[in-house]
């Protein structure tokens, strides 16, 4: 069975991509590898995101934000961008989607929960299509 790799990317790898990857790791069937990165990584994951994920029993995909590299994209089958699509190199044969999702940086907890709910719906849909 071929492994499918999904890369979730945003600018800072401190919010949206971490949320998406954490949810995908929880929801994905065996044979799906999940990655997360950012075009300009922050020093740390947004505290409200870390707290909201912990409340759901989830951990961020990476302990600290990491840099998106062309190699990471080349090693992925699906590339899901959230606010950084214009910065991502395009490689033939990859599936690209750009999700318009609000950045949870500096959001209050209720708003972060709404972002998580939206990302969860999109991740669930993506996994059903793969």
């Amino acid at each position: 069975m071929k492994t499918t790799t999904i890369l979730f990317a945003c600018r800072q790898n401190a919010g949206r991509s971490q949320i998406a990857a954490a949810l995908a790791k929880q929801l994905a069937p065996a044979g799906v590898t999940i990655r997360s990165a950012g075009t300009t990584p922050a020093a740390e994951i947004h505290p409200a995101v870390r707290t909201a994920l912990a409340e759901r029993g989830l951990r961020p995909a990476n302990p600290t934000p990491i840099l998106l590299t062309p190699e990471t994209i080349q090693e992925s089958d699906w590339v899901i961008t959230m606010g950084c699509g214009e910065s991502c190199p395009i490689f033939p044969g990859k599936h690209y989607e750009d999700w318009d999702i609000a950045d949870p940086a500096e959001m209050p907890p209720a708003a972060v929960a709404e972002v998580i709910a939206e990302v969860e719906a999109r991740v669930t849909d993506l996994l059903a299509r793969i």
Side-chain angles (χ1 to χ4, degrees), residues 48-64:
V49 168
R50 188 179 298 279
T51 299
L53 288 175
E55 288 172 355
R56 293 182 64 144
L58 300 173
R59 292 184 175 174
N62 310 314
T64 57

Side-chain angles (χ1 to χ4, degrees), residues 44-105:
E44 64 181 19
I45 295 166
H46 302 311
V49 168
R50 188 179 298 279
T51 299
L53 288 175
E55 288 172 355
R56 293 182 64 144
L58 300 173
R59 292 184 175 174
N62 310 314
T64 57
I66 62 170
L67 179 65
L68 176 65
T69 65
E71 293 78 23
T72 305
I73 295 171
Q74 286 180 312
E75 295 167 357
S76 301
D77 301 298
W78 289 79
V79 180
I80 310 302
T81 59
M82 293 166 269
C84 69
E86 73 285 349
S87 302
C88 293
I90 304 295
F91 293 99
K94 308 297 175 191
H95 302 275
Y96 290 86
E97 290 186 12
D98 186 53
W99 294 354
D100 185 16
I101 296 176
D103 187 347

Side-chain angles (χ1 to χ4, degrees), residues 27-41:
L27 300 171
V32 177
T33 301
I34 307 298
R35 295 188 173 152
S36 175
T39 54
T40 55

